[in-house]
Amino acid sequence: MRQLLFFVILVILLPSCYAVRAYRFRKFELDDLDKFKALTVKKSDKPFHFAYAQNKRNKLRAYLDSNLANSDTYGFLVIQNDSILYEKYFDDLDTEDVYPSFSVAKSYVATLAQIALQEGYIKSFQEPVTNYLPVLSKADKRWTKVSVQNVLDMRTGVKSDETYNSPFSDVIRLGFTANLSSRLKKIEIGDNPGSFEYKSVNTQLLAAVIEAATKQAIPEYLQKKIWQPLGMESDATWQTDRKGTARAFCCLNATLKDFAKLGRLYLNKGNWNGRQILSEDWVATILNADTMRAYQGYKNQWWSSRVIRRFSDSTAAAEFISAQGNDWYLGKGRRRGAVFYSAYNNLPAVFAQGMLGQYVYIHPSQNLIIVRMGHSWKHPRLYAQRFIEDLAARISRDDF
């Protein structure tokens, strides 16, 4: 009865109906993918195939089989030195199935931004974002002082609510609105321009910059610059609004092995089998622990792998750091309006991450890629990121 009443209220308050759709898909399942409008990203004519390791790694398989059971994982993939050490799918799914990545898509959009810069479509990341999206200044004049790099690093100060469990939040509106372009024209800057705040609308803005600069839709540009050159084995899909604009901040769907190929590109310093697709400097910046530390663990729409301890005040965090005697650092963040302090230690890896525990994790010194796609992660001891980091450490120690 309560759910019915909630549904009726949504219909009355928001007849435009994005909230009705949000309510329908509030418990997103894999089968729901077919219910969303999407564009197809065509597979490569010259597919690249990872090899399978000769050593069957029975201990690794046993460890992952037992730990991934009942974790709501769709598929899990471990690749080292271009060889697949472990690949498994659950609940009658298989290697050909296409999986939602949610915010893993952000790292693809950032990669396309760099390619657009290399090709001269974007003149400089230091340019004002309004050079490409002049309409933004009509909603807020301060957009003329925001650079494309600020958008890449989510340091725009954009006013947007990133709450996922409310049908009235800005990010949910972004995910279900029928007209993304219309929403982008209205966004304003809040109280913290220049500070890091994770807001998905930044990636949607970045995609709009790329489309304005290249005169190509994001799925089309992805197909030309990444999907074809990297030898993707399967068609992908990218969900769109009713007008065909890709929901670039969230909704790229592909197979695990094709997701892993973006990781391989970064492991190889932007080079793909002799072809330099990405600038080495771009890749080096993302993989640099000092840079990641300076940018609070988030740079160019990639996350730094790191251990974090959170504290309510800076003194307690500083005392913890002092007691460690190693490379721990003090950080400051804001979540749902509340300030928190953290002690963190960057690890030598980076990852793209989605909201339900989707990961494309790359560990350069181990030449290691780990991909996990699934629903909300469930595990009795470790959250998803920590599980993957612990697994990487075990592989580096040759525990398996």
Side-chain angles (χ1 to χ4, degrees), residues 34-76:
D34 294 335
K35 300 170 186 174
F36 291 93
K37 183 178 173 64
L39 292 173
T40 299
V41 181
K42 292 291 188 183
K43 64 185 178 182
S44 176
D45 298 329
K46 298 178 180 178
F48 171 85
H49 302 284
F50 289 103
Y52 284 88
Q54 297 298 315
N55 183 347
K56 293 186 177 180
R57 297 283 188 121
N58 292 332
K59 286 178 65 177
L60 174 65
R61 185 170 66 247
Y63 173 81
L64 287 174
D65 284 353
S66 62
N67 277 276
L68 294 174
N70 304 313
S71 68
D72 270 358
T73 294
Y74 298 148
F76 201 92

mmCIF file of all heavy atoms in Angstrom, residues 34-76:
data_model
loop_
_atom_site.group_PDB
_atom_site.id
_atom_site.type_symbol
_atom_site.label_atom_id
_atom_site.label_comp_id
_atom_site.label_asym_id
_atom_site.label_seq_id
_atom_site.Cartn_x
_atom_site.Cartn_y
_atom_site.Cartn_z
ATOM 1 N N ASP A 34 17.203 -4.307 -21.945
ATOM 2 C CA ASP A 34 16.467 -4.311 -23.204
ATOM 3 C C ASP A 34 15.313 -3.311 -23.217
ATOM 4 O O ASP A 34 14.718 -3.066 -24.273
ATOM 5 C CB ASP A 34 15.913 -5.714 -23.486
ATOM 6 C CG ASP A 34 17.018 -6.735 -23.729
ATOM 7 O OD1 ASP A 34 18.114 -6.315 -24.140
ATOM 8 O OD2 ASP A 34 16.794 -7.932 -23.472
ATOM 9 N N LYS A 35 14.990 -2.736 -22.073
ATOM 10 C CA LYS A 35 13.855 -1.819 -21.974
ATOM 11 C C LYS A 35 14.253 -0.358 -22.158
ATOM 12 O O LYS A 35 13.414 0.530 -22.095
ATOM 13 C CB LYS A 35 13.161 -2.012 -20.624
ATOM 14 C CG LYS A 35 12.638 -3.443 -20.426
ATOM 15 C CD LYS A 35 12.172 -3.681 -19.009
ATOM 16 C CE LYS A 35 11.800 -5.154 -18.814
ATOM 17 N NZ LYS A 35 11.462 -5.478 -17.414
ATOM 18 N N PHE A 36 15.543 -0.121 -22.350
ATOM 19 C CA PHE A 36 16.034 1.246 -22.510
ATOM 20 C C PHE A 36 16.435 1.506 -23.955
ATOM 21 O O PHE A 36 17.014 0.647 -24.617
ATOM 22 C CB PHE A 36 17.243 1.487 -21.607
ATOM 23 C CG PHE A 36 16.919 1.518 -20.136
ATOM 24 C CD1 PHE A 36 17.006 0.370 -19.375
ATOM 25 C CD2 PHE A 36 16.516 2.693 -19.529
ATOM 26 C CE1 PHE A 36 16.705 0.389 -18.024
ATOM 27 C CE2 PHE A 36 16.216 2.731 -18.179
ATOM 28 C CZ PHE A 36 16.309 1.578 -17.420
ATOM 29 N N LYS A 37 16.153 2.707 -24.418
ATOM 30 C CA LYS A 37 16.579 3.130 -25.756
ATOM 31 C C LYS A 37 18.101 3.199 -25.778
ATOM 32 O O LYS A 37 18.722 3.708 -24.844
ATOM 33 C CB LYS A 37 15.971 4.500 -26.068
ATOM 34 C CG LYS A 37 16.267 5.044 -27.455
ATOM 35 C CD LYS A 37 15.559 6.383 -27.654
ATOM 36 C CE LYS A 37 15.964 7.033 -28.973
ATOM 37 N NZ LYS A 37 15.546 6.240 -30.136
ATOM 38 N N ALA A 38 18.724 2.680 -26.833
ATOM 39 C CA ALA A 38 20.185 2.653 -26.893
ATOM 40 C C ALA A 38 20.663 2.655 -28.339
ATOM 41 O O ALA A 38 19.938 2.243 -29.250
ATOM 42 C CB ALA A 38 20.719 1.413 -26.173
ATOM 43 N N LEU A 39 21.891 3.131 -28.529
ATOM 44 C CA LEU A 39 22.568 3.057 -29.815
ATOM 45 C C LEU A 39 23.590 1.925 -29.775
ATOM 46 O O LEU A 39 24.170 1.636 -28.725
ATOM 47 C CB LEU A 39 23.283 4.378 -30.112
ATOM 48 C CG LEU A 39 22.382 5.590 -30.378
ATOM 49 C CD1 LEU A 39 23.228 6.856 -30.487
ATOM 50 C CD2 LEU A 39 21.571 5.393 -31.656
ATOM 51 N N THR A 40 23.812 1.301 -30.909
ATOM 52 C CA THR A 40 24.757 0.194 -31.001
ATOM 53 C C THR A 40 26.140 0.707 -31.397
ATOM 54 O O THR A 40 26.270 1.548 -32.289
ATOM 55 C CB THR A 40 24.282 -0.843 -32.029
ATOM 56 O OG1 THR A 40 23.018 -1.368 -31.615
ATOM 57 C CG2 THR A 40 25.277 -1.989 -32.168
ATOM 58 N N VAL A 41 27.148 0.196 -30.708
ATOM 59 C CA VAL A 41 28.542 0.467 -31.050
ATOM 60 C C VAL A 41 29.078 -0.819 -31.682
ATOM 61 O O VAL A 41 29.201 -1.847 -31.019
ATOM 62 C CB VAL A 41 29.359 0.846 -29.798
ATOM 63 C CG1 VAL A 41 30.804 1.160 -30.179
ATOM 64 C CG2 VAL A 41 28.720 2.026 -29.075
ATOM 65 N N LYS A 42 29.399 -0.763 -32.953
ATOM 66 C CA LYS A 42 29.712 -1.973 -33.719
ATOM 67 C C LYS A 42 31.091 -2.558 -33.362
ATOM 68 O O LYS A 42 32.061 -1.828 -33.187
ATOM 69 C CB LYS A 42 29.679 -1.669 -35.217
ATOM 70 C CG LYS A 42 28.286 -1.344 -35.739
ATOM 71 C CD LYS A 42 27.390 -2.563 -35.719
ATOM 72 C CE LYS A 42 26.062 -2.299 -36.408
ATOM 73 N NZ LYS A 42 25.155 -3.486 -36.327
ATOM 74 N N LYS A 43 31.123 -3.869 -33.289
ATOM 75 C CA LYS A 43 32.361 -4.575 -32.985
ATOM 76 C C LYS A 43 33.386 -4.385 -34.096
ATOM 77 O O LYS A 43 33.059 -3.980 -35.219
ATOM 78 C CB LYS A 43 32.084 -6.059 -32.783
ATOM 79 C CG LYS A 43 31.553 -6.767 -34.021
ATOM 80 C CD LYS A 43 31.195 -8.207 -33.709
ATOM 81 C CE LYS A 43 30.620 -8.900 -34.935
ATOM 82 N NZ LYS A 43 30.215 -10.294 -34.634
ATOM 83 N N SER A 44 34.628 -4.713 -33.783
ATOM 84 C CA SER A 44 35.730 -4.521 -34.729
ATOM 85 C C SER A 44 35.724 -5.580 -35.823
ATOM 86 O O SER A 44 35.336 -6.730 -35.598
ATOM 87 C CB SER A 44 37.061 -4.571 -33.977
ATOM 88 O OG SER A 44 38.144 -4.483 -34.871
ATOM 89 N N ASP A 45 36.184 -5.185 -36.980
ATOM 90 C CA ASP A 45 36.365 -6.131 -38.091
ATOM 91 C C ASP A 45 37.595 -7.011 -37.868
ATOM 92 O O ASP A 45 37.754 -8.048 -38.503
ATOM 93 C CB ASP A 45 36.531 -5.371 -39.414
ATOM 94 C CG ASP A 45 35.306 -4.551 -39.761
ATOM 95 O OD1 ASP A 45 34.188 -4.967 -39.386
ATOM 96 O OD2 ASP A 45 35.459 -3.481 -40.383
ATOM 97 N N LYS A 46 38.490 -6.562 -36.978
ATOM 98 C CA LYS A 46 39.713 -7.317 -36.681
ATOM 99 C C LYS A 46 39.811 -7.517 -35.172
ATOM 100 O O LYS A 46 40.553 -6.807 -34.484
ATOM 101 C CB LYS A 46 40.940 -6.566 -37.206
ATOM 102 C CG LYS A 46 40.917 -6.377 -38.717
ATOM 103 C CD LYS A 46 42.127 -5.574 -39.186
ATOM 104 C CE LYS A 46 42.100 -5.386 -40.713
ATOM 105 N NZ LYS A 46 43.260 -4.566 -41.174
ATOM 106 N N PRO A 47 39.058 -8.465 -34.637
ATOM 107 C CA PRO A 47 38.997 -8.632 -33.181
ATOM 108 C C PRO A 47 40.317 -9.064 -32.568
ATOM 109 O O PRO A 47 41.073 -9.838 -33.158
ATOM 110 C CB PRO A 47 37.922 -9.703 -32.995
ATOM 111 C CG PRO A 47 37.871 -10.442 -34.289
ATOM 112 C CD PRO A 47 38.193 -9.437 -35.344
ATOM 113 N N PHE A 48 40.574 -8.544 -31.384
ATOM 114 C CA PHE A 48 41.731 -8.956 -30.591
ATOM 115 C C PHE A 48 41.250 -9.944 -29.527
ATOM 116 O O PHE A 48 40.241 -9.705 -28.858
ATOM 117 C CB PHE A 48 42.373 -7.746 -29.912
ATOM 118 C CG PHE A 48 43.437 -8.109 -28.912
ATOM 119 C CD1 PHE A 48 44.742 -8.339 -29.328
ATOM 120 C CD2 PHE A 48 43.135 -8.247 -27.560
ATOM 121 C CE1 PHE A 48 45.723 -8.687 -28.409
ATOM 122 C CE2 PHE A 48 44.108 -8.590 -26.638
ATOM 123 C CZ PHE A 48 45.407 -8.817 -27.060
ATOM 124 N N HIS A 49 41.964 -11.041 -29.360
ATOM 125 C CA HIS A 49 41.575 -12.066 -28.389
ATOM 126 C C HIS A 49 42.675 -12.242 -27.348
ATOM 127 O O HIS A 49 43.843 -12.443 -27.707
ATOM 128 C CB HIS A 49 41.320 -13.409 -29.079
ATOM 129 C CG HIS A 49 40.260 -13.355 -30.135
ATOM 130 N ND1 HIS A 49 38.914 -13.310 -29.843
ATOM 131 C CD2 HIS A 49 40.351 -13.329 -31.497
ATOM 132 C CE1 HIS A 49 38.221 -13.262 -30.968
ATOM 133 N NE2 HIS A 49 39.074 -13.267 -31.984
ATOM 134 N N PHE A 50 42.305 -12.151 -26.088
ATOM 135 C CA PHE A 50 43.252 -12.510 -25.032
ATOM 136 C C PHE A 50 43.474 -14.021 -25.073
ATOM 137 O O PHE A 50 42.547 -14.797 -25.335
ATOM 138 C CB PHE A 50 42.703 -12.133 -23.656
ATOM 139 C CG PHE A 50 42.666 -10.650 -23.394
ATOM 140 C CD1 PHE A 50 41.468 -9.946 -23.464
ATOM 141 C CD2 PHE A 50 43.821 -9.956 -23.079
ATOM 142 C CE1 PHE A 50 41.423 -8.593 -23.214
ATOM 143 C CE2 PHE A 50 43.797 -8.593 -22.827
ATOM 144 C CZ PHE A 50 42.583 -7.900 -22.896
ATOM 145 N N ALA A 51 44.698 -14.439 -24.783
ATOM 146 C CA ALA A 51 44.999 -15.869 -24.694
ATOM 147 C C ALA A 51 44.548 -16.398 -23.331
ATOM 148 O O ALA A 51 44.313 -15.624 -22.400
ATOM 149 C CB ALA A 51 46.499 -16.096 -24.874
ATOM 150 N N TYR A 52 44.443 -17.710 -23.232
ATOM 151 C CA TYR A 52 44.161 -18.336 -21.940
ATOM 152 C C TYR A 52 45.464 -18.898 -21.392
ATOM 153 O O TYR A 52 46.249 -19.525 -22.113
ATOM 154 C CB TYR A 52 43.108 -19.440 -22.083
ATOM 155 C CG TYR A 52 41.709 -18.898 -22.239
ATOM 156 C CD1 TYR A 52 41.209 -18.580 -23.497
ATOM 157 C CD2 TYR A 52 40.912 -18.666 -21.123
ATOM 158 C CE1 TYR A 52 39.935 -18.050 -23.652
ATOM 159 C CE2 TYR A 52 39.629 -18.129 -21.265
ATOM 160 C CZ TYR A 52 39.157 -17.825 -22.524
ATOM 161 O OH TYR A 52 37.893 -17.288 -22.661
ATOM 162 N N ALA A 53 45.708 -18.649 -20.105
ATOM 163 C CA ALA A 53 46.953 -19.089 -19.479
ATOM 164 C C ALA A 53 47.080 -20.603 -19.540
ATOM 165 O O ALA A 53 46.095 -21.330 -19.357
ATOM 166 C CB ALA A 53 47.008 -18.613 -18.028
ATOM 167 N N GLN A 54 48.287 -21.077 -19.783
ATOM 168 C CA GLN A 54 48.531 -22.517 -19.834
ATOM 169 C C GLN A 54 48.387 -23.153 -18.448
ATOM 170 O O GLN A 54 47.842 -24.236 -18.298
ATOM 171 C CB GLN A 54 49.945 -22.776 -20.379
ATOM 172 C CG GLN A 54 50.157 -22.302 -21.806
ATOM 173 C CD GLN A 54 49.257 -23.017 -22.801
ATOM 174 O OE1 GLN A 54 49.114 -24.239 -22.750
ATOM 175 N NE2 GLN A 54 48.627 -22.259 -23.688
ATOM 176 N N ASN A 55 48.893 -22.435 -17.441
ATOM 177 C CA ASN A 55 48.745 -22.895 -16.051
ATOM 178 C C ASN A 55 47.313 -22.649 -15.599
ATOM 179 O O ASN A 55 46.838 -21.515 -15.605
ATOM 180 C CB ASN A 55 49.727 -22.125 -15.154
ATOM 181 C CG ASN A 55 49.675 -22.597 -13.711
ATOM 182 O OD1 ASN A 55 48.765 -23.312 -13.298
ATOM 183 N ND2 ASN A 55 50.661 -22.174 -12.926
ATOM 184 N N LYS A 56 46.605 -23.665 -15.201
ATOM 185 C CA LYS A 56 45.180 -23.552 -14.883
ATOM 186 C C LYS A 56 44.889 -22.830 -13.571
ATOM 187 O O LYS A 56 43.754 -22.491 -13.282
ATOM 188 C CB LYS A 56 44.536 -24.935 -14.873
ATOM 189 C CG LYS A 56 44.506 -25.570 -16.256
ATOM 190 C CD LYS A 56 43.726 -26.877 -16.257
ATOM 191 C CE LYS A 56 43.655 -27.450 -17.664
ATOM 192 N NZ LYS A 56 42.901 -28.732 -17.704
ATOM 193 N N ARG A 57 45.904 -22.596 -12.756
ATOM 194 C CA ARG A 57 45.752 -21.842 -11.526
ATOM 195 C C ARG A 57 44.584 -22.368 -10.678
ATOM 196 O O ARG A 57 43.626 -21.657 -10.387
ATOM 197 C CB ARG A 57 45.521 -20.368 -11.837
ATOM 198 C CG ARG A 57 46.677 -19.669 -12.547
ATOM 199 C CD ARG A 57 47.807 -19.342 -11.591
ATOM 200 N NE ARG A 57 48.826 -18.521 -12.199
ATOM 201 C CZ ARG A 57 49.201 -17.326 -11.757
ATOM 202 N NH1 ARG A 57 48.648 -16.836 -10.673
ATOM 203 N NH2 ARG A 57 50.142 -16.653 -12.377
ATOM 204 N N ASN A 58 44.659 -23.613 -10.295
ATOM 205 C CA ASN A 58 43.567 -24.245 -9.550
ATOM 206 C C ASN A 58 43.287 -23.555 -8.215
ATOM 207 O O ASN A 58 42.133 -23.425 -7.798
ATOM 208 C CB ASN A 58 43.867 -25.730 -9.329
ATOM 209 C CG ASN A 58 43.824 -26.519 -10.630
ATOM 210 O OD1 ASN A 58 43.108 -26.142 -11.556
ATOM 211 N ND2 ASN A 58 44.605 -27.592 -10.720
ATOM 212 N N LYS A 59 44.352 -23.108 -7.531
ATOM 213 C CA LYS A 59 44.150 -22.433 -6.245
ATOM 214 C C LYS A 59 43.421 -21.100 -6.429
ATOM 215 O O LYS A 59 42.546 -20.750 -5.640
ATOM 216 C CB LYS A 59 45.502 -22.214 -5.554
ATOM 217 C CG LYS A 59 46.112 -23.474 -4.970
ATOM 218 C CD LYS A 59 47.477 -23.190 -4.350
ATOM 219 C CE LYS A 59 47.369 -22.265 -3.151
ATOM 220 N NZ LYS A 59 48.707 -22.060 -2.520
ATOM 221 N N LEU A 60 43.791 -20.370 -7.473
ATOM 222 C CA LEU A 60 43.121 -19.101 -7.765
ATOM 223 C C LEU A 60 41.653 -19.348 -8.094
ATOM 224 O O LEU A 60 40.760 -18.646 -7.583
ATOM 225 C CB LEU A 60 43.814 -18.400 -8.933
ATOM 226 C CG LEU A 60 43.137 -17.132 -9.456
ATOM 227 C CD1 LEU A 60 43.143 -16.046 -8.397
ATOM 228 C CD2 LEU A 60 43.830 -16.636 -10.735
ATOM 229 N N ARG A 61 41.395 -20.356 -8.920
ATOM 230 C CA ARG A 61 40.019 -20.649 -9.300
ATOM 231 C C ARG A 61 39.184 -21.043 -8.089
ATOM 232 O O ARG A 61 38.056 -20.577 -7.923
ATOM 233 C CB ARG A 61 39.997 -21.760 -10.353
ATOM 234 C CG ARG A 61 38.572 -22.020 -10.883
ATOM 235 C CD ARG A 61 38.560 -22.927 -12.093
ATOM 236 N NE ARG A 61 39.005 -24.273 -11.792
ATOM 237 C CZ ARG A 61 40.123 -24.816 -12.259
ATOM 238 N NH1 ARG A 61 40.928 -24.115 -13.039
ATOM 239 N NH2 ARG A 61 40.449 -26.047 -11.951
ATOM 240 N N ALA A 62 39.740 -21.866 -7.215
ATOM 241 C CA ALA A 62 39.015 -22.302 -6.031
ATOM 242 C C ALA A 62 38.715 -21.121 -5.109
ATOM 243 O O ALA A 62 37.609 -20.997 -4.559
ATOM 244 C CB ALA A 62 39.805 -23.376 -5.285
ATOM 245 N N TYR A 63 39.713 -20.243 -4.940
ATOM 246 C CA TYR A 63 39.537 -19.074 -4.072
ATOM 247 C C TYR A 63 38.428 -18.167 -4.609
ATOM 248 O O TYR A 63 37.541 -17.733 -3.859
ATOM 249 C CB TYR A 63 40.851 -18.304 -3.977
ATOM 250 C CG TYR A 63 40.733 -16.995 -3.246
ATOM 251 C CD1 TYR A 63 40.731 -16.944 -1.857
ATOM 252 C CD2 TYR A 63 40.635 -15.793 -3.956
ATOM 253 C CE1 TYR A 63 40.610 -15.735 -1.177
ATOM 254 C CE2 TYR A 63 40.518 -14.573 -3.290
ATOM 255 C CZ TYR A 63 40.511 -14.556 -1.905
ATOM 256 O OH TYR A 63 40.384 -13.345 -1.246
ATOM 257 N N LEU A 64 38.474 -17.874 -5.907
ATOM 258 C CA LEU A 64 37.481 -16.967 -6.480
ATOM 259 C C LEU A 64 36.107 -17.619 -6.579
ATOM 260 O O LEU A 64 35.088 -16.980 -6.321
ATOM 261 C CB LEU A 64 37.951 -16.475 -7.851
ATOM 262 C CG LEU A 64 39.095 -15.461 -7.804
ATOM 263 C CD1 LEU A 64 39.598 -15.140 -9.204
ATOM 264 C CD2 LEU A 64 38.662 -14.187 -7.088
ATOM 265 N N ASP A 65 36.067 -18.878 -6.938
ATOM 266 C CA ASP A 65 34.761 -19.563 -6.994
ATOM 267 C C ASP A 65 34.037 -19.474 -5.658
ATOM 268 O O ASP A 65 32.833 -19.180 -5.598
ATOM 269 C CB ASP A 65 34.949 -21.034 -7.374
ATOM 270 C CG ASP A 65 35.233 -21.231 -8.862
ATOM 271 O OD1 ASP A 65 35.159 -20.242 -9.613
ATOM 272 O OD2 ASP A 65 35.531 -22.378 -9.257
ATOM 273 N N SER A 66 34.757 -19.719 -4.568
ATOM 274 C CA SER A 66 34.114 -19.724 -3.250
ATOM 275 C C SER A 66 33.752 -18.313 -2.796
ATOM 276 O O SER A 66 32.697 -18.095 -2.205
ATOM 277 C CB SER A 66 35.019 -20.394 -2.215
ATOM 278 O OG SER A 66 36.235 -19.686 -2.079
ATOM 279 N N ASN A 67 34.613 -17.331 -3.095
ATOM 280 C CA ASN A 67 34.352 -15.970 -2.634
ATOM 281 C C ASN A 67 33.325 -15.225 -3.477
ATOM 282 O O ASN A 67 32.652 -14.318 -2.987
ATOM 283 C CB ASN A 67 35.650 -15.166 -2.596
ATOM 284 C CG ASN A 67 36.436 -15.394 -1.328
ATOM 285 O OD1 ASN A 67 36.181 -14.766 -0.301
ATOM 286 N ND2 ASN A 67 37.377 -16.326 -1.375
ATOM 287 N N LEU A 68 33.204 -15.593 -4.743
ATOM 288 C CA LEU A 68 32.257 -14.905 -5.619
ATOM 289 C C LEU A 68 30.865 -15.511 -5.578
ATOM 290 O O LEU A 68 29.901 -14.887 -6.029
ATOM 291 C CB LEU A 68 32.782 -14.900 -7.058
ATOM 292 C CG LEU A 68 34.063 -14.095 -7.286
ATOM 293 C CD1 LEU A 68 34.565 -14.292 -8.714
ATOM 294 C CD2 LEU A 68 33.850 -12.617 -6.996
ATOM 295 N N ALA A 69 30.752 -16.709 -5.044
ATOM 296 C CA ALA A 69 29.425 -17.333 -4.924
ATOM 297 C C ALA A 69 28.544 -16.455 -4.049
ATOM 298 O O ALA A 69 28.973 -15.958 -3.006
ATOM 299 C CB ALA A 69 29.568 -18.728 -4.314
ATOM 300 N N ASN A 70 27.337 -16.220 -4.504
ATOM 301 C CA ASN A 70 26.349 -15.424 -3.748
ATOM 302 C C ASN A 70 26.771 -13.971 -3.533
ATOM 303 O O ASN A 70 26.302 -13.315 -2.592
ATOM 304 C CB ASN A 70 26.066 -16.079 -2.384
ATOM 305 C CG ASN A 70 25.605 -17.516 -2.521
ATOM 306 O OD1 ASN A 70 24.735 -17.821 -3.335
ATOM 307 N ND2 ASN A 70 26.199 -18.398 -1.736
ATOM 308 N N SER A 71 27.661 -13.461 -4.384
ATOM 309 C CA SER A 71 28.099 -12.070 -4.260
ATOM 310 C C SER A 71 27.353 -11.140 -5.208
ATOM 311 O O SER A 71 27.658 -9.950 -5.293
ATOM 312 C CB SER A 71 29.599 -11.963 -4.535
ATOM 313 O OG SER A 71 29.876 -12.240 -5.901
ATOM 314 N N ASP A 72 26.367 -11.673 -5.927
ATOM 315 C CA ASP A 72 25.633 -10.931 -6.955
ATOM 316 C C ASP A 72 26.544 -10.475 -8.091
ATOM 317 O O ASP A 72 26.360 -9.413 -8.683
ATOM 318 C CB ASP A 72 24.895 -9.731 -6.360
ATOM 319 C CG ASP A 72 23.483 -10.092 -5.917
ATOM 320 O OD1 ASP A 72 23.081 -11.250 -6.117
ATOM 321 O OD2 ASP A 72 22.780 -9.217 -5.374
ATOM 322 N N THR A 73 27.555 -11.290 -8.384
ATOM 323 C CA THR A 73 28.454 -11.022 -9.507
ATOM 324 C C THR A 73 27.896 -11.664 -10.771
ATOM 325 O O THR A 73 27.457 -12.806 -10.743
ATOM 326 C CB THR A 73 29.859 -11.573 -9.202
ATOM 327 O OG1 THR A 73 30.419 -10.833 -8.113
ATOM 328 C CG2 THR A 73 30.780 -11.473 -10.406
ATOM 329 N N TYR A 74 27.895 -10.907 -11.875
ATOM 330 C CA TYR A 74 27.506 -11.466 -13.168
ATOM 331 C C TYR A 74 28.691 -12.193 -13.810
ATOM 332 O O TYR A 74 28.548 -13.279 -14.350
ATOM 333 C CB TYR A 74 27.044 -10.369 -14.129
ATOM 334 C CG TYR A 74 25.833 -9.588 -13.706
ATOM 335 C CD1 TYR A 74 25.682 -8.245 -14.065
ATOM 336 C CD2 TYR A 74 24.807 -10.171 -12.960
ATOM 337 C CE1 TYR A 74 24.560 -7.511 -13.707
ATOM 338 C CE2 TYR A 74 23.680 -9.440 -12.598
ATOM 339 C CZ TYR A 74 23.569 -8.106 -12.975
ATOM 340 O OH TYR A 74 22.457 -7.383 -12.624
ATOM 341 N N GLY A 75 29.843 -11.527 -13.763
ATOM 342 C CA GLY A 75 31.036 -12.110 -14.370
ATOM 343 C C GLY A 75 32.287 -11.503 -13.768
ATOM 344 O O GLY A 75 32.286 -10.348 -13.331
ATOM 345 N N PHE A 76 33.360 -12.297 -13.735
ATOM 346 C CA PHE A 76 34.615 -11.857 -13.122
ATOM 347 C C PHE A 76 35.759 -12.340 -13.998
ATOM 348 O O PHE A 76 35.790 -13.496 -14.421
ATOM 349 C CB PHE A 76 34.741 -12.440 -11.712
ATOM 350 C CG PHE A 76 35.695 -11.709 -10.810
ATOM 351 C CD1 PHE A 76 35.248 -10.687 -9.984
ATOM 352 C CD2 PHE A 76 37.043 -12.040 -10.780
ATOM 353 C CE1 PHE A 76 36.121 -10.003 -9.137
ATOM 354 C CE2 PHE A 76 37.929 -11.366 -9.948
ATOM 355 C CZ PHE A 76 37.464 -10.345 -9.112
#
